DNA sequence: AAAGGCCACAACCGCAGTAGG
DNA sequence: CCCTACTGCGGTTGTGGCCTT
């Protein structure tokens, strides 16, 4: 026995809403509210629609202060950051973007933002190396979900100093070996030493004027004029007057602040060669992640779905639970609170984006 | 100009959690 | 504790418009 249908499917209208239906529903809800019962609402209103359909129409389209389209770059950043950290939990992401609906964000992600970020790389890499044949010759889907894979790829791409995308305000934590690679890359990419041709176009290409106030990845505010600190990798810290991420093309890992005098210059020819080797390794990780994992003795915290340790999974902890876990029915306000407590990430986010 | 393909968006579907009897 | 109705959510599908050939 299947589940009882929520309404009489034969007698409800489906498909696009007419302006008349919109007006009827809107005016009724504005006068009377939903009455706390969407299933009963269509009858009261006089619409031949399923209650769920009415609810969706109201929430996604008719309700006041809904924004459609015209996503800003800041919103892109937020969506991207949150997608990487919590996966496809659109309602939670939508809760961080006033006026945006989960459906809108989901569509925007699937149709535009994902392509913008991953480009065609995903298409070409995804299926070939990740599926394996079982003993019967059938294709077995890899255990990593598409969502997790996308997030991994995004993570790698955004950590990649050659990426032309957003500042890594709060990217998930990498494996120590990756961190090391990234940090070496950062040192090589110091903007005050611009001999490296690879980096010449990577940062501050336009009229960007950094603020003296900057924040670190942990959300702490510092001032670049503070005599107690020397910003080792200045471009990796988010200025508080940040408003144009195009100016941050190569931002990576925004927490490197060292005591004055400890900044180290590492740009040498050898280093540049190393840079290329590391880039190749990053690509290898993307292209052959299974092989890479087998080589690594340590657990790689991006791969939660491959049973890595819980302690290392703060950033990736929710993806595989999305459909089966207890998170589905959180309301927006609770979601925010829970995330604030559990992940400690939204404080950072607020600091970074509310200017 | 027409056909086919592609894309973006709206809407639907079905699953899972929750509340109440 | 169980059952049922309701709600919320994410994934998927349908559709119309635009673009390309």
């Amino acid at each position: 026995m299947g589940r009882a249908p929520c309404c009489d499917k034969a007698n409800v209208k489906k498909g696009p809403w007419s302006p008349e239906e919109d007006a009827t529903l809107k005016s009724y809800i504005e006068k009377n509210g939903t009455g706390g019962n969407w299933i009963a609402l269509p009858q009261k209103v006089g619409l031949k629609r399923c209650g769920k359909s009415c609810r969706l129409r109201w929430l996604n389209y008719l309700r006041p202060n809904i924004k459609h389209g015209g996503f800003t770059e800041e919103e892109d950043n937020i969506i991207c950051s949150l997608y990487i950290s919590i996966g496809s939990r659109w309602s939670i992401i939508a809760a961080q973007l006033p006026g945006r609906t989960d459906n809108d964000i989901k569509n925007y992600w699937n149709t535009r933002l994902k392509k913008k970020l991953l480009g065609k790389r995903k298409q070409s890499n995804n299926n070939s190396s990740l599926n394996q044949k079982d003993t019967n010759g059938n294709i077995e889907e890899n255990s990593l979900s598409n969502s997790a894979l996308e997030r991994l790829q995004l993570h790698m791409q955004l950590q990649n100093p050659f990426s032309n995308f957003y500042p890594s305000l709060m990217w998930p934590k990498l494996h120590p070996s990756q961190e090391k690679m990234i940090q070496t890359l950062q040192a090589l990419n110091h903007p005050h030493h611009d001999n490296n041709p690879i980096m010449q176009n990577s940062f501050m290409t336009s009229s960007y004027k950094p603020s003296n106030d900057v924040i670190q990845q942990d959300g702490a505010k510092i001032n670049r004029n503070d005599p107690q600190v020397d910003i080792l990798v200045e471009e990796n810290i988010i200025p508080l007057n940040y408003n144009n991420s195009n100016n941050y093309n190569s931002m990576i890992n925004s927490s490197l602040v060292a005591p004055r005098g400890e900044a180290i210059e590492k740009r040498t020819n050898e280093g540049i060669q190393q840079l290329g080797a590391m880039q190749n390794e990053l690509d290898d990780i993307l292209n052959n992640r299974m092989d890479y994992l087998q080589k690594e003795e340590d657990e790689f915290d991006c791969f939660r779905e491959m049973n890595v340790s819980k302690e290392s999974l703060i950033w990736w902890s929710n993806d595989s639970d999305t459909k089966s876990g207890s998170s589905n029915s959180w309301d927006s306000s609770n979601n925010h609170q829970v995330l604030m407590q559990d992940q400690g990430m939204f404080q950072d986010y607020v600091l970074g984006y509310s200017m």
Side-chain angles (χ1 to χ4, degrees), chain A residues 205-231:
Chain A
T205 52
S206 59
S207 59
Y208 167 69
K209 295 287 188 299
S211 160
N212 286 333
D213 288 326
V214 296
I215 58 169
Q216 302 174 77
Q217 192 170 28
D218 63 3
K221 187 194 291 190
I222 60 172
N223 188 299
R224 67 175 79 236
N225 291 333
D226 185 337
Q228 297 304 311
V229 298
D230 186 17
I231 298 171

Short mmCIF file of all heavy atoms in Angstrom, two decimals, chain A residues 205-231:
data_model
loop_
_atom_site.label_atom_id
_atom_site.label_comp_id
_atom_site.label_asym_id
_atom_site.label_seq_id
_atom_site.Cartn_x
_atom_site.Cartn_y
_atom_site.Cartn_z
N THR A 205 43.87 43.48 -10.23
CA THR A 205 44.13 43.92 -11.59
C THR A 205 43.45 45.24 -11.92
O THR A 205 43.77 45.88 -12.88
CB THR A 205 43.62 42.87 -12.58
OG1 THR A 205 42.27 42.58 -12.25
CG2 THR A 205 44.45 41.61 -12.50
N SER A 206 42.51 45.67 -11.11
CA SER A 206 41.81 46.90 -11.45
C SER A 206 42.00 47.96 -10.37
O SER A 206 43.10 48.18 -9.92
CB SER A 206 40.33 46.60 -11.68
OG SER A 206 39.76 46.04 -10.53
N SER A 207 40.94 48.58 -10.00
CA SER A 207 41.07 49.74 -9.12
C SER A 207 40.96 49.39 -7.65
O SER A 207 40.69 50.25 -6.83
CB SER A 207 39.97 50.73 -9.49
OG SER A 207 38.71 50.13 -9.34
N TYR A 208 41.17 48.19 -7.33
CA TYR A 208 40.99 47.77 -5.95
C TYR A 208 41.92 48.51 -4.99
O TYR A 208 43.10 48.65 -5.21
CB TYR A 208 41.27 46.27 -5.86
CG TYR A 208 41.41 45.80 -4.44
CD1 TYR A 208 40.29 45.80 -3.60
CD2 TYR A 208 42.64 45.39 -3.95
CE1 TYR A 208 40.41 45.37 -2.30
CE2 TYR A 208 42.75 44.97 -2.65
CZ TYR A 208 41.64 44.95 -1.83
OH TYR A 208 41.76 44.53 -0.54
N LYS A 209 41.32 49.04 -3.93
CA LYS A 209 42.10 49.68 -2.87
C LYS A 209 41.76 48.99 -1.56
O LYS A 209 40.67 49.14 -1.04
CB LYS A 209 41.72 51.16 -2.77
CG LYS A 209 42.08 51.98 -3.99
CD LYS A 209 43.58 52.21 -4.07
CE LYS A 209 43.92 53.19 -5.17
NZ LYS A 209 43.53 52.73 -6.49
N PRO A 210 42.69 48.25 -1.03
CA PRO A 210 42.36 47.48 0.16
C PRO A 210 42.12 48.36 1.37
O PRO A 210 42.77 49.37 1.56
CB PRO A 210 43.60 46.60 0.35
CG PRO A 210 44.70 47.31 -0.35
CD PRO A 210 44.06 48.06 -1.48
N SER A 211 41.19 47.92 2.17
CA SER A 211 40.95 48.59 3.44
C SER A 211 42.03 48.19 4.42
O SER A 211 42.66 47.16 4.30
CB SER A 211 39.59 48.13 3.96
OG SER A 211 39.49 48.37 5.33
N ASN A 212 42.24 49.03 5.40
CA ASN A 212 43.17 48.66 6.48
C ASN A 212 42.56 47.61 7.38
O ASN A 212 43.26 46.89 8.05
CB ASN A 212 43.56 49.90 7.29
CG ASN A 212 44.52 50.74 6.48
OD1 ASN A 212 45.25 50.25 5.63
ND2 ASN A 212 44.48 52.04 6.75
N ASP A 213 41.26 47.59 7.43
CA ASP A 213 40.59 46.59 8.25
C ASP A 213 40.41 45.32 7.44
O ASP A 213 39.86 45.33 6.35
CB ASP A 213 39.22 47.08 8.71
CG ASP A 213 39.37 48.15 9.75
OD1 ASP A 213 40.32 48.09 10.54
OD2 ASP A 213 38.55 49.08 9.74
N VAL A 214 40.88 44.25 7.99
CA VAL A 214 40.74 42.97 7.30
C VAL A 214 40.32 41.93 8.31
O VAL A 214 40.46 42.11 9.52
CB VAL A 214 42.08 42.52 6.65
CG1 VAL A 214 42.47 43.49 5.57
CG2 VAL A 214 43.17 42.40 7.69
N ILE A 215 39.79 40.86 7.80
CA ILE A 215 39.44 39.76 8.69
C ILE A 215 40.16 38.50 8.29
O ILE A 215 40.51 38.31 7.14
CB ILE A 215 37.93 39.49 8.71
CG1 ILE A 215 37.43 39.17 7.31
CG2 ILE A 215 37.16 40.61 9.31
CD1 ILE A 215 36.02 38.64 7.28
N GLN A 216 40.36 37.66 9.28
CA GLN A 216 40.98 36.38 9.01
C GLN A 216 39.90 35.34 8.82
O GLN A 216 38.72 35.59 9.00
CB GLN A 216 41.87 35.97 10.18
CG GLN A 216 42.94 36.97 10.48
CD GLN A 216 43.68 36.57 11.72
OE1 GLN A 216 44.50 35.67 11.69
NE2 GLN A 216 43.36 37.20 12.83
N GLN A 217 40.32 34.15 8.52
CA GLN A 217 39.37 33.08 8.27
C GLN A 217 38.54 32.79 9.52
O GLN A 217 37.39 32.41 9.43
CB GLN A 217 40.12 31.82 7.87
CG GLN A 217 39.18 30.76 7.33
CD GLN A 217 39.96 29.63 6.72
OE1 GLN A 217 41.08 29.35 7.13
NE2 GLN A 217 39.37 28.97 5.75
N ASP A 218 39.13 32.98 10.67
CA ASP A 218 38.37 32.69 11.89
C ASP A 218 37.46 33.84 12.28
O ASP A 218 36.79 33.79 13.30
CB ASP A 218 39.31 32.35 13.04
CG ASP A 218 40.21 33.51 13.41
OD1 ASP A 218 40.07 34.60 12.82
OD2 ASP A 218 41.05 33.34 14.28
N GLY A 219 37.41 34.87 11.48
CA GLY A 219 36.49 35.96 11.72
C GLY A 219 37.10 37.10 12.52
O GLY A 219 36.48 38.15 12.68
N ALA A 220 38.29 36.91 13.02
CA ALA A 220 38.89 37.97 13.83
C ALA A 220 39.26 39.16 12.95
O ALA A 220 39.77 39.00 11.85
CB ALA A 220 40.15 37.43 14.52
N LYS A 221 38.99 40.34 13.47
CA LYS A 221 39.30 41.55 12.71
C LYS A 221 40.70 42.03 13.09
O LYS A 221 41.06 42.09 14.24
CB LYS A 221 38.28 42.63 13.03
CG LYS A 221 38.44 43.87 12.15
CD LYS A 221 37.65 45.03 12.72
CE LYS A 221 36.16 44.85 12.61
NZ LYS A 221 35.44 46.11 12.95
N ILE A 222 41.47 42.37 12.12
CA ILE A 222 42.78 42.95 12.39
C ILE A 222 42.96 44.17 11.50
O ILE A 222 42.23 44.38 10.54
CB ILE A 222 43.93 41.95 12.12
CG1 ILE A 222 43.89 41.51 10.66
CG2 ILE A 222 43.81 40.76 13.05
CD1 ILE A 222 45.09 40.67 10.28
N ASN A 223 43.99 44.96 11.81
CA ASN A 223 44.29 46.13 11.00
C ASN A 223 45.67 45.94 10.41
O ASN A 223 46.63 45.64 11.11
CB ASN A 223 44.24 47.38 11.87
CG ASN A 223 44.37 48.62 11.01
OD1 ASN A 223 45.38 48.83 10.31
ND2 ASN A 223 43.33 49.44 11.04
N ARG A 224 45.75 46.18 9.11
CA ARG A 224 47.03 45.91 8.45
C ARG A 224 48.12 46.90 8.90
O ARG A 224 49.29 46.66 8.67
CB ARG A 224 46.88 45.87 6.94
CG ARG A 224 46.53 47.15 6.30
CD ARG A 224 46.52 46.98 4.78
NE ARG A 224 45.31 46.35 4.31
CZ ARG A 224 45.29 45.25 3.59
NH1 ARG A 224 46.40 44.63 3.28
NH2 ARG A 224 44.17 44.74 3.19
N ASN A 225 47.71 47.97 9.53
CA ASN A 225 48.71 48.92 10.03
C ASN A 225 49.18 48.58 11.43
O ASN A 225 50.06 49.24 11.96
CB ASN A 225 48.13 50.33 10.02
CG ASN A 225 47.94 50.82 8.60
OD1 ASN A 225 48.64 50.39 7.68
ND2 ASN A 225 46.96 51.69 8.42
N ASP A 226 48.56 47.59 12.02
CA ASP A 226 48.93 47.20 13.37
C ASP A 226 50.40 46.79 13.39
O ASP A 226 50.81 45.88 12.68
CB ASP A 226 48.05 46.03 13.82
CG ASP A 226 48.30 45.66 15.27
OD1 ASP A 226 49.40 45.96 15.80
OD2 ASP A 226 47.40 45.07 15.88
N PRO A 227 51.23 47.47 14.23
CA PRO A 227 52.66 47.16 14.24
C PRO A 227 52.95 45.76 14.75
O PRO A 227 54.04 45.25 14.55
CB PRO A 227 53.25 48.22 15.17
CG PRO A 227 52.10 48.64 16.03
CD PRO A 227 50.87 48.51 15.17
N GLN A 228 51.98 45.15 15.38
CA GLN A 228 52.24 43.83 15.95
C GLN A 228 52.14 42.72 14.91
O GLN A 228 52.55 41.60 15.15
CB GLN A 228 51.21 43.54 17.06
CG GLN A 228 51.29 44.49 18.22
CD GLN A 228 52.69 44.51 18.83
OE1 GLN A 228 53.27 43.47 19.11
NE2 GLN A 228 53.24 45.70 19.00
N VAL A 229 51.57 43.03 13.80
CA VAL A 229 51.42 41.96 12.83
C VAL A 229 51.99 42.36 11.49
O VAL A 229 52.05 43.53 11.13
CB VAL A 229 49.94 41.57 12.62
CG1 VAL A 229 49.34 41.05 13.91
CG2 VAL A 229 49.15 42.73 12.08
N ASP A 230 52.39 41.39 10.79
CA ASP A 230 52.82 41.57 9.42
C ASP A 230 52.00 40.62 8.59
O ASP A 230 51.93 39.44 8.87
CB ASP A 230 54.30 41.22 9.29
CG ASP A 230 54.81 41.54 7.90
OD1 ASP A 230 54.14 42.29 7.19
OD2 ASP A 230 55.87 41.03 7.54
N ILE A 231 51.34 41.16 7.62
CA ILE A 231 50.49 40.29 6.84
C ILE A 231 51.33 39.55 5.82
O ILE A 231 51.81 40.10 4.85
CB ILE A 231 49.38 41.10 6.16
CG1 ILE A 231 48.53 41.74 7.26
CG2 ILE A 231 48.54 40.23 5.26
CD1 ILE A 231 47.54 42.72 6.74
#
